[in-house]
Amino acid sequence: MKISSNFYTSNVQLKKLLLASISGLIFFILLILIYQAGWLDNLELLTVDWRMKFLSGYSENTQGEVQSSQSSGQVVYVDLDQGSLDAAQSEWQMGWPWPREGYGLALQYLQQGGAQAVTFDMFMDNPSPFGDHEFASFLTNYQNVVQAGMFVRSNDKTPQKITIDQQVEKFSLELTTDDSVLFPVMTKPYAIPTDLILNESQWMGDAYIIAEGADRRHLRKNSLIVQYNNRYYPSLALATVLSALQTREVEVKNQKIIIKSKSRQISIPVDKQGFMWIKFYGPSRSYQTYPLFYVITSFLAEQAALQGDENAKNNILINKAEFSDKMIIIKSSAPGLKDLRPNPFSDNDDGGHIHGSAVDTILQNDFLTDLYHPLILFSIFLVLSLLASITGAALPSRISGLVFSFLIAGFILLTALLFTNNIIIETAGSVLALMIPYILGVRIHLTFENKQKEFVQGAFSQFLAPSILQKLLKDRSHLHLGGEEKEISIFFSDLQGFTSLSEKLSPTELVEILNTYLTDMADNIVVDHEGYVDKYEGDAIMAFWGAPIDDHLHAVKACLAALDNQQKMINLQKYFKEKGLSSELVVRIGINTGKAVVGMMGSMRKLNYTVIGDAVNLASRLEGANKAYQTRIMISEATYQEAKEAIEVRELDLLRVKGKEQPVRVYELLAKRGQLTDPQKKMASCFQKGLTLYRQQKWVEAISQFTEALKYQKADGPAQLYIQRCQAFQQKPPPANWDGVYVMKTK
């Protein structure tokens, strides 16, 4: 027989869907306003960093060594690192700044090695009395060397350092455009190389880094072209590629920058401002990097070897063939040179790696495109907002939580899948479009659930106990007769001799004492240990753990509750005496662990959540068995095995209780783990020895040990009982097949 739990009418369901749709639409409008205000920009760029970091295919071992990377291998760094500065100071007594002739020596070695392009990511805008002419003379011989310059906007508040110079015009591009891209307009050149270097250079790239986000630190995009004085100039990365291809011919069409050369054509997708997403393949250490000092010393050593110095060959640290067909970027990572910028893989990398990663992106045709178009974006927001709000409102809490988890996980998986195919989808706003409307939908669902609970309480409170009603409100699948088998721990307690003592009290006094006892024992102890009080029978309490809520610590909690019960009784003795009881009250407790049938039992007019089964009966028998042993708490072997890590016990006996053939090993529960007193420890040790001797039928030796136990705990019931048994067996030995089992004659 089953009672229907469907309390919602179709009208109520429609109301929920309507409210969910309205709340989803309201948040959708709010999300558009938030997005348009730019409040999600930093968070979205952070999610792009995460995707870049975890989906790029880059990995390294615990020692920081690169294990895999998707970089092309064509981009190579020559690094002015701290080691190079220190080595130059140590071996050449040359401090910073270095004579620019040294860069010229490195340039020669790179060009002799067959480098496709050599880019200097360092400004040479201040004349130097050391080596400028020599460096400029080296530049005359090479057509694929890129110098770093910079164009800035006036609102950057950078001080004016040079006037407009017609010399920079030779670095402009031969560009045709359909005006689909509006490149950043710069107002003045800044940090342009010196006239001497500029005159001998064939290429110059704009090294100005325009970063996104409020902190202006992280660069995820590169402005490939800037406009100055009605001319177009390439970025440092684009100039590097163009110099290698030996072309200045660029076409802008349909938001793509198309590089045209004799050897190849590259089509680069950009946004309306000419920005290209940089695809980082790892930190700078994931690229082949050579210290600048080693490059210079290798060149000098090779020159010396050509002059006949055989020993000089040992100083060639880098084979120039390593640079064949490579794009070389000469950068600086020394902290003192202050060219450190974060990227998705490192918070303390050098700025040259940004240009190198942009070059690598172009060389591999590995371009990212984003779906940030307003129509696409707002459609996604709308669908997700409505879907999430309806999910939260229309489905039961557990199911909606599962569906919502799948939606979140599915969307994240989709963003990852799209990114691996070079598509970036708005993530921050989309996740918000799922989370907030879902929460609103759940709130709508809970509002209707509360109304349903009120209905259930009004309809069933007349014949259901409050505790069962609460369980029913959480899960109405329990609205049927019957039960389920579960492993639980059952607790029985009873006041020894309370009936005879209560005859001396008035009914009012008896009820007052009994209520105080039951309140302290049951509510304050059993409930505190998360047990379920099944019933009271006079002064007896029946409780259990492990149902209706599963609890793998049910045996432990039952034992700890029993120990706390005994402590509580000590505290109550003074109160009982004041109320007229002539002697102390003793509470006996029995605990057993096993499988029992639990559930709502009774009639449809009166139901009670209870337990039945042999395990329950045994717990009741153990409570009664305390009387024979004069113990306070007796537990079964099954309970001991489940709770032994948390309690201290002594083995009492092998009992065959009435109505059972199989004996049960029983224990006296003494204390919580680690809380035995020294006398208790000694008593338990002597008792255990005596018990072993008893089972070996060594009566005299057993009596000696039990007597010894009494020295540490006077009037110990079990020790006295076993002394009596030993003496009885001395007079009349047990049969030959005696197994040490004691048969209980009473319940």
Side-chain angles (χ1 to χ4, degrees):
M1 180 177 183
K2 192 165 184 172
I3 304 173
S4 172
S5 59
N6 181 15
F7 297 96
Y8 286 122
T9 64
S10 58
N11 186 44
V12 172
Q13 290 283 27
L14 288 175
K15 286 182 180 179
K16 289 172 64 177
L17 292 175
L18 179 61
L19 287 174
S21 300
I22 292 173
S23 65
L25 287 172
I26 291 175
F27 182 77
F28 163 69
I29 296 171
L30 180 62
L31 184 59
I32 290 177
L33 297 176
I34 292 173
Y35 180 83
Q36 294 287 67
W39 294 349
L40 296 177
D41 290 354
N42 281 341
L43 184 58
E44 173 60 20
L45 291 173
L46 186 60
T47 70
V48 174
D49 285 352
W50 290 340
R51 281 174 271 183
M52 199 89 68
K53 183 173 183 179
F54 296 111
L55 300 173
S56 67
Y58 173 78
S59 64
E60 59 184 39
N61 58 25
T62 54
Q63 286 74 40
E65 299 170 342
V66 179
Q67 290 185 311
S68 66
S69 173
Q70 294 180 1
S71 61
S72 65
Q74 275 191 275
V75 177
V76 173
Y77 295 147
V78 172
D79 191 15
L80 178 54
D81 58 357
Q82 189 61 46
S84 293
L85 293 177
D86 295 341
Q89 181 68 48
S90 174
E91 297 190 22
W92 297 339
Q93 289 73 52
M94 185 174 70
W96 181 258
W98 288 1
R100 287 182 179 146
E101 180 182 2
Y103 302 133
L105 299 178
L107 177 60
Q108 289 187 76
Y109 198 58
L110 297 172
Q111 295 287 7
Q112 290 173 11
Q116 273 194 307
V118 178
T119 297
F120 285 89
D121 181 30
M122 49 185 65
F123 296 122
M124 299 186 186
D125 53 329
N126 293 317
S128 171
F130 306 108
D132 270 16
H133 286 84
E134 291 79 358
F135 180 63
S137 66
F138 294 140
L139 293 175
T140 305
N141 301 320
Y142 305 118
Q143 303 297 311
N144 59 349
V145 180
V146 182
Q147 298 295 328
M150 189 161 68
F151 297 92
V152 297
R153 298 188 182 101
S154 60
N155 60 10
D156 284 339
K157 300 180 180 180
T158 307
Q160 182 82 20
K161 295 188 66 175
I162 63 173
T163 58
I164 297 175
D165 193 337
Q166 295 299 319
Q167 287 177 296
V168 301
E169 292 184 2
K170 71 175 184 178
F171 303 117
S172 63
L173 299 172
E174 300 171 6
L175 185 139
T176 59
T177 177
D178 63 355
D179 295 326
S180 59
V181 177
L182 300 176
F183 296 106
V185 177
M186 301 302 178
T187 58
K188 59 183 179 181
Y190 173 73
I192 302 299
T194 65
D195 291 348
L196 184 61
I197 296 174
L198 202 63
N199 289 334
E200 302 302 331
S201 298
Q202 301 299 316
W203 293 90
M204 185 187 76
D206 178 32
Y208 183 51
I209 293 178
I210 304 176
E212 301 88 4
D215 60 9
R216 309 287 292 176
R217 299 186 315 130
H218 287 72
L219 187 85
R220 288 92 169 182
K221 293 182 177 181
N222 189 206
S223 177
L224 294 183
I225 297 174
V226 296
Q227 186 177 355
Y228 167 67
N229 202 21
N230 296 319
R231 291 181 178 272
Y232 298 93
Y233 295 87
S235 69
L236 199 63
L238 183 60
T240 301
V241 176
L242 292 172
S243 70
L245 298 175
Q246 286 300 298
T247 181
R248 295 183 187 274
E249 187 178 352
V250 175
E251 181 183 3
V252 178
K253 186 177 181 180
N254 297 327
Q255 278 189 228
K256 291 184 179 180
I257 296 175
I258 304 170
I259 301 173
K260 297 181 177 181
S261 72
K262 294 179 180 179
S263 59
R264 64 185 294 191
Q265 179 172 302
I266 303 174
S267 182
I268 307 171
V270 294
D271 62 18
K272 290 184 178 180
Q273 287 74 44
F275 283 85
M276 175 195 76
W277 281 101
I278 301 174
K279 193 166 185 181
F280 290 89
Y281 300 99
S284 61
R285 64 177 177 272
S286 64
Y287 284 70
Q288 185 64 56
T289 303
Y290 300 99
L292 179 57
F293 178 79
Y294 285 2
V295 176
I296 297 173
T297 54
S298 295
F299 173 75
L300 294 175
E302 185 182 77
Q303 295 302 307
L306 292 174
Q307 297 296 325
D309 185 351
E310 292 296 328
N311 294 328
K313 293 181 179 180
N314 297 327
N315 293 324
I316 300 177
L317 304 177
I318 303 171
N319 188 334
K320 62 186 178 185
E322 297 288 330
F323 306 114
S324 177
D325 293 325
K326 304 298 183 183
M327 305 282 195
I328 311 297
I329 295 181
I330 301 177
K331 63 184 184 65
S332 57
S333 67
L337 301 183
K338 299 180 180 179
D339 189 26
L340 300 180
R341 283 184 174 273
N343 58 58
F345 292 88
S346 174
D347 289 330
N348 197 31
D349 222 331
D350 55 82
H353 182 50
I354 294 172
H355 302 298
S357 297
V359 171
D360 209 3
T361 301
I362 296 172
L363 292 177
Q364 296 196 72
N365 279 298
D366 195 15
F367 302 114
L368 293 166
T369 56
D370 60 64
L371 301 180
Y372 290 161
H373 188 280
L375 181 60
I376 298 174
L377 202 60
F378 297 158
S379 297
I380 293 173
F381 287 170
L382 177 60
V383 170
L384 293 180
S385 296
L386 290 175
L387 184 61
S389 60
I390 291 173
T391 297
L395 298 177
S397 298
R398 291 182 180 178
I399 297 177
S400 73
L402 186 62
V403 172
F404 174 71
S405 299
F406 275 116
L407 287 175
I408 288 288
F411 182 79
I412 293 175
L413 183 62
L414 175 63
T415 61
L417 181 63
L418 289 174
F419 188 84
T420 56
N421 287 277
N422 286 345
I423 298 174
I424 299 176
I425 188 173
E426 169 74 29
T427 301
S430 300
V431 170
L432 282 178
L434 283 170
M435 292 182 64
I436 305 302
Y438 173 73
I439 293 173
L440 295 174
V442 170
R443 186 70 186 89
I444 292 170
H445 177 76
L446 291 177
T447 299
F448 280 89
E449 278 289 294
N450 288 335
K451 290 182 179 180
Q452 183 189 18
K453 287 181 180 180
E454 292 175 2
F455 175 81
V456 173
Q457 286 174 327
F460 292 95
S461 60
Q462 298 299 316
F463 57 90
L464 284 180
S467 58
I468 304 305
L469 183 59
Q470 293 303 313
K471 188 171 186 294
L472 172 64
L473 291 173
K474 292 180 180 179
D475 185 1
R476 284 165 299 281
S477 65
H478 291 279
L479 275 175
H480 62 88
L481 296 177
E484 57 180 330
E485 188 177 67
K486 301 181 71 173
E487 183 174 280
I488 61 173
S489 291
I490 308 100
F491 169 110
F492 277 89
S493 72
D494 191 26
L495 284 174
Q496 179 178 303
F498 183 75
T499 302
S500 59
L501 290 172
S502 63
E503 292 174 353
K504 303 175 183 178
L505 302 173
S506 67
T508 302
E509 293 172 327
L510 178 61
V511 170
E512 183 180 353
I513 291 175
L514 193 58
N515 285 343
T516 300
Y517 164 75
L518 293 176
T519 298
D520 284 0
M521 294 297 102
D523 294 345
N524 295 341
I525 301 299
V526 176
V527 175
D528 286 350
H529 287 82
E530 300 179 334
Y532 180 85
V533 178
D534 187 314
K535 60 177 65 75
Y536 306 111
E537 292 182 0
D539 58 286
I541 300 174
M542 176 184 171
F544 54 87
W545 284 257
I549 305 300
D550 290 337
D551 189 347
H552 69 283
L553 295 176
H554 52 82
V556 173
K557 292 179 179 179
C559 291
L560 297 183
L563 290 168
D564 285 349
N565 258 355
Q566 296 295 346
Q567 182 59 47
K568 201 71 177 178
M569 281 300 295
I570 295 174
N571 301 333
L572 285 173
Q573 295 301 336
K574 182 179 179 181
Y575 167 79
F576 292 147
K577 189 174 182 180
E578 291 174 351
K579 291 299 178 180
L581 292 180
S582 57
S583 60
E584 289 189 353
L585 288 177
V586 175
V587 61
R588 299 190 303 249
I589 300 171
I591 302 173
N592 180 41
T593 298
K595 290 189 175 181
V597 177
V598 298
M600 295 175 61
M601 301 179 196
S603 68
M604 295 311 302
R605 296 296 301 169
K606 183 172 180 61
L607 297 173
N608 188 32
Y609 193 80
T610 187
V611 294
I612 58 174
D614 288 343
V616 180
N617 297 333
L618 179 57
S620 177
R621 298 289 191 275
L622 296 183
E623 180 275 314
N626 280 293
K627 183 176 182 180
Y629 293 85
Q630 299 181 48
T631 51
R632 302 293 176 87
I633 309 173
M634 187 179 296
I635 67 175
S636 67
E637 169 79 6
T639 301
Y640 170 68
Q641 291 299 331
E642 291 290 327
K644 60 185 178 182
E645 299 299 326
I647 58 176
E648 303 282 2
V649 301
R650 65 165 161 176
E651 183 182 347
L652 281 178
D653 210 342
L654 277 169
L655 280 183
R656 184 177 289 115
V657 298
K658 190 171 183 180
K660 294 292 180 182
E661 292 298 323
Q662 190 68 28
V664 178
R665 194 178 303 274
V666 295
Y667 299 81
E668 181 186 11
L669 179 56
L670 298 175
K672 298 176 183 178
R673 172 64 70 176
Q675 295 186 12
L676 277 180
T677 64
D678 286 339
Q680 282 180 311
K681 291 178 182 178
K682 293 176 180 178
M683 176 276 295
S685 176
C686 292
F687 185 86
Q688 183 60 50
K689 292 176 183 178
L691 185 60
T692 301
L693 293 167
Y694 167 80
R695 289 171 177 165
Q696 295 172 355
Q697 301 187 32
K698 297 179 180 180
W699 315 121
V700 175
E701 294 89 335
I703 290 173
S704 176
Q705 288 297 325
F706 291 132
T707 303
E708 186 71 15
L710 290 171
K711 293 180 180 179
Y712 301 108
Q713 187 166 304
K714 295 180 179 180
D716 179 59
Q720 292 176 340
L721 176 63
Y722 272 97
I723 290 174
Q724 294 173 7
R725 286 188 188 177
C726 289
Q727 290 171 345
F729 281 135
Q730 283 178 318
Q731 299 297 322
K732 184 180 179 181
N737 61 348
W738 182 68
D739 55 6
V741 175
Y742 182 76
V743 180
M744 293 289 295
K745 301 296 192 300
T746 62
K747 294 184 178 182

